[in-house]
Amino acid sequence: MCNACIIEGVKSHMLSRRSLFGAAAAAGVASIGAGLITAKPALAQASGKVVDLTHTYDSDFPTFDGKPGIIFEQDKVFDKDGYQLFKLTIFEHTGTHIDTPLHFSKDGTSVDALPVENLVAPLCIIDITAKAAEDANAMVEAADIEAWIRANGEIPAGACVAMNSGWTKKIGDPSWRNNAEGKLAFPGFAKSATDLLMETGAASIGVDTMSLDPGNSADFAVHYSWLPSGRFGIEGLANLDQLPVKGATVFIGAPKHRGGTGGPARVLAMI
């Protein structure tokens, strides 16, 4: 089935979910490596505006387990040593950071082995701010992906598909992490959505919250399905509301420590 047929089918509501993505599924894994190719046209048309999608973080930045994600120790002081140097102790999954396949599998791809072509990608943004305003544990569902396609066309192979829940506005407030009862509460992806994204050939997903799964998840279904499939995720994105839902190109500055399960990243978008 050609791409034009897929798009036309979605817009006319004549194809079922299975027929819509059935053809893409056969080529899904192979197309993950096409991210750089599909990003090039967007780069050629870019205005040059760059948006930083990375939070600045320190020892007070919220973490999943409540422990400081980064600790600074000053090793060299300018007045004494003529230059300055900090020793950093960092937990991989803190701040704006990467989740690799190895994070939720025994022998998946580590952060240093992520295909570099997938670190430059077309960025597709799914806006669920209205749902998230009503439900702190709202999810990107399959229906949200289908609605995005009807409005914007197909999701490019190798794309990074990011959730904008409006959570960036909560940063610095306890509600970014917890609800009034002190329980983890924040939006994320539903497995129905990420299963659908696998069939489109998307290479990564991103969230503006602490986890790919919603805060009330008991089984981490997205982590245990999306990551072991060879794809990766980005957690703690910022400023997605400053970008259009399509047309931006994302640059993912993944760390490269050998055998890592992920790590803090500098993520930028160009439009």
Side-chain angles (χ1 to χ4, degrees), residues 12-170:
S12 64
H13 299 277
M14 294 179 67
L15 294 179
S16 67
R17 181 180 300 171
R18 180 177 294 275
S19 61
L20 169 62
F21 291 99
V29 175
S31 65
I32 292 174
L36 184 58
I37 296 173
T38 56
K40 284 181 179 178
L43 283 173
Q45 299 169 22
S47 68
K49 179 182 178 181
V50 177
V51 176
D52 193 349
L53 303 184
T54 317
H55 285 291
T56 300
Y57 88 121
D58 56 22
S59 298
D60 295 323
F61 194 89
T63 60
F64 200 86
D65 61 7
K67 299 176 182 178
I70 181 170
I71 298 172
F72 297 78
E73 296 178 54
Q74 189 151 19
D75 187 73
K76 295 292 183 289
V77 180
F78 187 84
D79 289 342
K80 176 183 176 182
D81 303 299
Y83 64 103
Q84 302 196 79
L85 177 68
F86 286 96
K87 173 186 175 182
L88 302 180
T89 301
I90 298 175
F91 282 91
E92 289 178 312
H93 297 273
T94 56
T96 301
H97 67 274
I98 303 288
D99 278 13
T100 70
L102 185 59
H103 184 36
F104 268 70
S105 62
K106 187 175 181 178
D107 55 2
T109 304
S110 58
V111 71
D112 56 303
L114 290 175
V116 293
E117 57 267 26
N118 291 332
L119 302 180
V120 180
L123 180 62
C124 304
I125 298 175
I126 312 296
D127 190 326
I128 64 161
T129 53
K131 285 201 297 184
E134 298 294 328
D135 178 8
N137 292 295
M139 293 186 287
V140 177
E141 305 276 1
D144 297 308
I145 305 299
E146 292 170 338
W148 192 98
I149 292 173
R150 285 195 298 271
N152 301 288
E154 66 176 327
I155 291 173
C160 175
V161 180
M163 173 193 78
N164 174 24
S165 68
W167 235 241
T168 292
K169 295 178 180 179
K170 293 177 176 284

